[in-house]
Amino acid sequence: MIAAQIRRRIDDGELKPGDRVPSIRKIEVEWQVAHATATKALSILRAEGLVEGIAGSGTVVAGGPGDRAARGNPRERIVRAAIEIADADGLDAVSMRAIADRLHGAAMSIYHHVKGRSELVVLMAETALAGVVPVDDAPHGRSRLESAAQSLWRAYRRHPWLARLGLDALRSVSPMVEYKEYVKCELIGRGADPVAVLRYHLLLHGLVRGLVANLFGEESASGASWWFDGEEKDLANEADDVFALGLRGLLDGLASGRVNKAKGRETR
C-alpha cells in the first residue's frame, strides 16, 4: 500500500517535518498507479494528520514520531477553532482574538503557529476541503465527474464560508489542486481541450459556490419572498434537490455535446 510505504518513511525519519512528500504525479510514475490511486494515498495520509498542504510548498510532512503531537496539535487546534467560529458566525468573525478566547489562551501565542490571518484562511480551507476528491478506482465516465461535484458540494454545505473564497484564493489549497486535476483528467479523457476543461471546471465550481452562497451564505436569499410572488419558500430545505437539478443539466450538456478542439468550444 502506497500510504503505508510513505508512512514508514516518515516514522523511520527518512522524511522529516517540513519535507515534501511525493506529489500525485510522482506517485503515479514511481508506483505505476492511476491518478485516483495516487490521490487516495495522499488523502489517507492527510486524514491521519501525517501530511499537510502548505502554500507554495505543496504537501509536506506535518510531524515526525515523538514530536507530532507537540508540533501539530497546537496549530490544528487553532485551525479547528477558526473553522468552528466561521461555521457559526461567518468568515468575518474569525480573528486571532476570537480564536484565543475560544481556546482560553493569548492572541499573540497563536502567531507562534500561524503567521497571520491569510495563512490561517488557507489552512482552514485545507482542513475543510480535505478529502473532496473521490478516491474510488471506478472507470472514467460521468459518474466520476458527478461524484467529484457532489463531494465538493458536501464540503461547501458543511462550511458555507468557503463560498467567500474564489478560485484564485484557493489556487494553493492542495485539496482544490487535487480536485482540479481530477476533473481535468476526466474531461481530457472525454476529448476536452484546455479551454473546455477550464469552462467546465468553472461551471462545476460555480454551481457549488453560487448555490451555497445563495442558500446558506451570510446574505442568503433562500427564503426571499420576492422570488415567489410574495410567498415564503425556504429553498435551503430543498438544497440537495436544487443542486442535483443544476448538476444534471450541466452533465447532460457535457454528454450531449462534443468538444471542438480547433475552436476550443463545445458544439452539437
Side-chain angles (χ1 to χ4, degrees), residues 53 75-88 90-96 99 114 116-130 155 159 161-162 165 170 173 175:
R75 182 159 70 169
E76 181 179 340
R77 287 197 299 272
I78 290 167
V79 173
R80 292 291 181 186
I83 290 175
E84 290 172 4
I85 293 169
D87 286 348
L91 194 59
D92 288 341
V94 176
S95 67
M96 298 307 182
I99 296 170
V114 179
R117 194 175 186 278
S118 296
E119 182 186 44
L120 177 60
V121 171
V122 170
L123 292 171
M124 290 168 63
E126 289 271 2
T127 300
L129 291 168
H159 309 289
W161 51 268
L162 285 168
L165 309 177
L170 296 170
V173 175

Coordinates of all heavy atoms in Angstrom, one line a residue, residues 53 75-88 90-96 99 114 116-130 155 159 161-162 165 170 173 175:
G53 N -0.9 20.4 3.5 CA -0.6 21.2 2.4 C -0.2 22.6 2.9 O -0.8 23.2 3.7
R75 N -1.4 24.0 16.2 CA -1.9 24.6 15.0 C -3.2 24.0 14.6 O -4.1 24.7 14.1 CB -0.9 24.5 13.9 CG -1.4 25.2 12.6 CD -0.3 25.6 11.7 NE 0.3 24.4 11.0 CZ 1.1 24.5 10.0 NH1 1.5 25.7 9.5 NH2 1.6 23.5 9.4
E76 N -3.3 22.7 14.8 CA -4.6 22.0 14.4 C -5.7 22.5 15.3 O -6.8 22.8 14.8 CB -4.4 20.5 14.6 CG -5.7 19.7 14.2 CD -5.5 18.2 14.3 OE1 -4.3 17.8 14.4 OE2 -6.5 17.5 14.4
R77 N -5.4 22.7 16.6 CA -6.5 23.3 17.4 C -6.9 24.7 17.0 O -8.1 25.0 17.1 CB -6.0 23.3 18.9 CG -6.0 21.9 19.5 CD -5.9 22.0 21.0 NE -4.7 22.7 21.5 CZ -3.6 22.1 21.8 NH1 -3.4 20.8 21.6 NH2 -2.5 22.8 22.2
I78 N -5.9 25.5 16.6 CA -6.2 26.8 16.2 C -7.1 26.8 14.9 O -8.0 27.5 14.8 CB -4.8 27.6 15.9 CG1 -4.1 27.9 17.2 CG2 -5.1 28.9 15.1 CD1 -2.7 28.3 17.0
V79 N -6.7 26.0 14.0 CA -7.4 25.9 12.7 C -8.9 25.4 13.0 O -9.8 25.9 12.4 CB -6.7 25.0 11.7 CG1 -7.6 24.8 10.5 CG2 -5.4 25.6 11.3
R80 N -9.0 24.4 13.8 CA -10.3 23.8 14.1 C -11.2 24.9 14.8 O -12.4 25.0 14.5 CB -10.2 22.6 15.0 CG -9.5 21.4 14.4 CD -10.5 20.8 13.3 NE -9.8 19.6 12.7 CZ -10.4 19.0 11.7 NH1 -11.5 19.4 11.1 NH2 -9.8 17.9 11.1
A81 N -10.6 25.6 15.7 CA -11.3 26.7 16.4 C -11.8 27.8 15.4 O -12.9 28.2 15.5 CB -10.5 27.3 17.5
A82 N -10.9 28.1 14.5 CA -11.3 29.1 13.5 C -12.4 28.6 12.6 O -13.3 29.4 12.3 CB -10.0 29.4 12.6
I83 N -12.4 27.3 12.2 CA -13.5 26.8 11.4 C -14.8 26.8 12.2 O -15.8 27.1 11.6 CB -13.1 25.3 11.0 CG1 -12.0 25.4 9.9 CG2 -14.3 24.6 10.4 CD1 -11.5 24.0 9.5
E84 N -14.7 26.4 13.5 CA -15.9 26.5 14.3 C -16.5 27.9 14.4 O -17.8 28.0 14.3 CB -15.6 26.0 15.7 CG -15.3 24.5 15.7 CD -14.8 24.0 17.1 OE1 -14.8 24.9 18.0 OE2 -14.4 22.8 17.3
I85 N -15.7 28.9 14.5 CA -16.2 30.2 14.5 C -16.8 30.6 13.2 O -17.9 31.2 13.1 CB -15.0 31.2 14.9 CG1 -14.5 31.0 16.3 CG2 -15.4 32.7 14.7 CD1 -13.2 31.7 16.6
A86 N -16.1 30.3 12.1 CA -16.6 30.6 10.8 C -17.9 29.9 10.5 O -18.8 30.5 9.9 CB -15.5 30.3 9.7
D87 N -18.0 28.6 10.9 CA -19.2 27.9 10.6 C -20.4 28.5 11.4 O -21.5 28.5 10.8 CB -19.1 26.4 11.1 CG -18.2 25.6 10.2 OD1 -17.9 26.0 9.1 OD2 -17.8 24.5 10.6
A88 N -20.1 29.0 12.6 CA -21.2 29.6 13.4 C -21.6 31.0 13.0 O -22.7 31.4 13.0 CB -20.9 29.5 14.8
G90 N -19.6 33.1 10.5 CA -19.1 33.6 9.2 C -17.6 33.9 9.3 O -17.0 34.0 10.3
L91 N -17.0 34.1 8.1 CA -15.6 34.2 8.0 C -15.1 35.5 8.6 O -14.0 35.6 9.2 CB -15.2 34.2 6.5 CG -13.7 34.0 6.2 CD1 -13.2 32.7 6.8 CD2 -13.5 34.0 4.7
D92 N -15.9 36.6 8.6 CA -15.5 37.9 9.1 C -15.3 37.8 10.6 O -14.7 38.7 11.2 CB -16.5 39.0 8.8 CG -16.4 39.4 7.3 OD1 -15.4 39.1 6.7 OD2 -17.4 39.9 6.8
A93 N -16.0 36.8 11.3 CA -15.9 36.7 12.7 C -14.6 36.1 13.2 O -14.3 36.1 14.4 CB -17.1 35.9 13.3
V94 N -13.8 35.5 12.2 CA -12.6 34.9 12.6 C -11.5 35.9 12.8 O -11.1 36.7 11.9 CB -12.1 33.9 11.5 CG1 -10.8 33.3 11.8 CG2 -13.2 32.8 11.3
S95 N -10.9 35.9 14.0 CA -9.8 36.8 14.3 C -8.9 36.1 15.3 O -9.4 35.1 16.0 CB -10.3 38.1 14.9 OG -10.9 37.9 16.2
M96 N -7.7 36.6 15.5 CA -6.8 35.9 16.4 C -7.4 36.1 17.9 O -7.2 35.1 18.7 CB -5.4 36.6 16.3 CG -4.8 36.4 15.0 SD -4.7 34.7 14.4 CE -3.8 34.8 12.9
I99 N -10.2 33.5 18.3 CA -9.6 32.2 18.5 C -9.0 32.0 19.8 O -9.2 31.0 20.5 CB -8.6 31.9 17.4 CG1 -9.3 31.9 16.0 CG2 -7.9 30.6 17.6 CD1 -8.3 31.9 14.8
V114 N 0.8 30.2 13.5 CA 0.2 30.7 12.2 C 0.7 32.1 12.0 O 0.6 32.9 12.9 CB -1.4 30.7 12.3 CG1 -1.9 31.3 11.0 CG2 -1.9 29.3 12.6
G116 N -0.3 34.6 10.1 CA -1.3 35.7 10.1 C -2.6 35.1 9.6 O -2.8 33.9 9.3
R117 N -3.6 36.0 9.4 CA -4.9 35.6 9.0 C -5.0 35.0 7.6 O -5.7 34.1 7.4 CB -5.9 36.8 9.1 CG -7.4 36.4 9.1 CD -8.3 37.6 9.3 NE -9.7 37.2 9.4 CZ -10.5 36.9 8.3 NH1 -10.0 37.0 7.1 NH2 -11.7 36.5 8.5
S118 N -4.2 35.5 6.7 CA -4.2 35.0 5.3 C -3.8 33.5 5.3 O -4.4 32.7 4.7 CB -3.2 35.8 4.4 OG -3.7 37.1 4.3
E119 N -2.7 33.2 6.1 CA -2.3 31.8 6.1 C -3.3 31.0 6.9 O -3.6 29.8 6.5 CB -0.9 31.7 6.9 CG -0.4 30.3 7.0 CD 0.8 30.1 7.8 OE1 0.9 30.7 8.9 OE2 1.7 29.4 7.4
L120 N -3.9 31.6 7.9 CA -5.0 30.8 8.6 C -6.1 30.4 7.7 O -6.6 29.3 7.8 CB -5.5 31.7 9.8 CG -6.6 31.1 10.6 CD1 -6.2 29.8 11.3 CD2 -7.1 32.1 11.7
V121 N -6.6 31.4 6.9 CA -7.7 31.1 6.0 C -7.3 29.9 5.0 O -8.2 29.1 4.8 CB -8.1 32.3 5.2 CG1 -9.1 32.0 4.1 CG2 -8.7 33.4 6.2
V122 N -6.1 29.9 4.5 CA -5.6 28.8 3.7 C -5.7 27.5 4.4 O -6.1 26.5 3.9 CB -4.2 29.1 3.1 CG1 -3.7 27.9 2.4 CG2 -4.2 30.3 2.2
L123 N -5.2 27.5 5.7 CA -5.2 26.3 6.5 C -6.6 25.8 6.8 O -6.9 24.6 6.8 CB -4.4 26.5 7.8 CG -2.9 26.8 7.6 CD1 -2.3 27.2 9.0 CD2 -2.2 25.5 7.1
M124 N -7.5 26.8 7.0 CA -8.9 26.5 7.2 C -9.5 25.8 6.0 O -10.2 24.8 6.1 CB -9.7 27.7 7.5 CG -9.4 28.3 8.9 SD -10.2 30.0 9.0 CE -11.9 29.6 8.9
A125 N -9.2 26.3 4.8 CA -9.7 25.7 3.6 C -9.1 24.4 3.4 O -9.8 23.4 2.9 CB -9.4 26.7 2.4
E126 N -7.8 24.2 3.7 CA -7.1 22.9 3.5 C -7.9 21.9 4.4 O -8.1 20.7 3.9 CB -5.7 23.0 4.0 CG -4.7 23.8 3.1 CD -4.1 22.9 2.1 OE1 -4.4 21.7 2.0 OE2 -3.3 23.4 1.3
T127 N -8.2 22.2 5.6 CA -8.9 21.3 6.5 C -10.3 21.0 6.1 O -10.8 19.9 6.1 CB -8.9 21.8 7.9 OG1 -7.5 22.0 8.3 CG2 -9.5 20.9 8.9
A128 N -11.0 22.1 5.7 CA -12.4 22.0 5.4 C -12.6 21.2 4.1 O -13.7 20.5 3.9 CB -13.1 23.4 5.2
L129 N -11.7 21.3 3.2 CA -11.8 20.6 1.9 C -11.1 19.3 1.8 O -11.1 18.6 0.8 CB -11.3 21.5 0.8 CG -12.1 22.8 0.5 CD1 -11.4 23.8 -0.4 CD2 -13.5 22.4 -0.1
A130 N -10.5 18.9 2.9 CA -9.7 17.6 2.9 C -10.6 16.5 2.5 O -11.7 16.3 3.0 CB -9.1 17.3 4.3
A155 N -18.8 19.4 1.0 CA -17.8 20.2 1.8 C -18.3 21.7 2.0 O -18.2 22.3 3.1 CB -16.5 20.2 1.2
H159 N -19.5 23.9 5.3 CA -18.7 25.1 5.7 C -19.1 26.2 4.7 O -18.3 26.5 3.7 CB -17.2 24.8 5.6 CG -16.8 23.6 6.4 ND1 -16.8 23.6 7.8 CD2 -16.4 22.4 6.0 CE1 -16.4 22.4 8.2 NE2 -16.1 21.7 7.2
W161 N -18.9 29.3 4.6 CA -17.9 30.4 4.4 C -17.0 30.2 3.3 O -16.3 31.1 2.8 CB -17.2 30.6 5.7 CG -16.6 29.4 6.3 CD1 -17.1 28.6 7.2 CD2 -15.3 28.9 6.0 NE1 -16.3 27.5 7.5 CE2 -15.1 27.7 6.8 CE3 -14.2 29.3 5.2 CZ2 -14.0 26.9 6.8 CZ3 -13.1 28.5 5.1 CH2 -13.0 27.3 5.9
L162 N -16.8 28.9 2.8 CA -15.9 28.6 1.7 C -16.4 29.4 0.5 O -15.6 29.7 -0.4 CB -15.9 27.1 1.4 CG -15.1 26.3 2.4 CD1 -15.4 24.8 2.1 CD2 -13.6 26.5 2.2
L165 N -14.6 32.4 -0.8 CA -13.3 32.3 -1.4 C -13.4 32.0 -2.9 O -14.0 31.0 -3.2 CB -12.4 31.2 -0.7 CG -12.4 31.4 0.8 CD1 -11.6 30.2 1.4 CD2 -11.7 32.7 1.2
L170 N -8.1 30.0 -3.8 CA -7.9 28.5 -3.5 C -6.8 27.9 -4.3 O -6.6 26.7 -4.2 CB -9.3 27.8 -3.7 CG -10.4 28.2 -2.9 CD1 -11.7 27.6 -3.4 CD2 -10.2 27.8 -1.4
V173 N -4.4 25.8 -2.3 CA -5.0 24.8 -1.4 C -5.0 23.4 -2.0 O -5.7 23.2 -3.0 CB -6.5 25.2 -1.0 CG1 -7.1 24.2 -0.1 CG2 -6.5 26.6 -0.3
P175 N -6.2 20.4 -1.5 CA -7.3 19.6 -1.9 C -8.0 20.1 -3.2 O -8.5 19.4 -4.0 CB -8.3 19.7 -0.7 CG -7.4 19.9 0.4 CD -6.3 20.8 -0.1

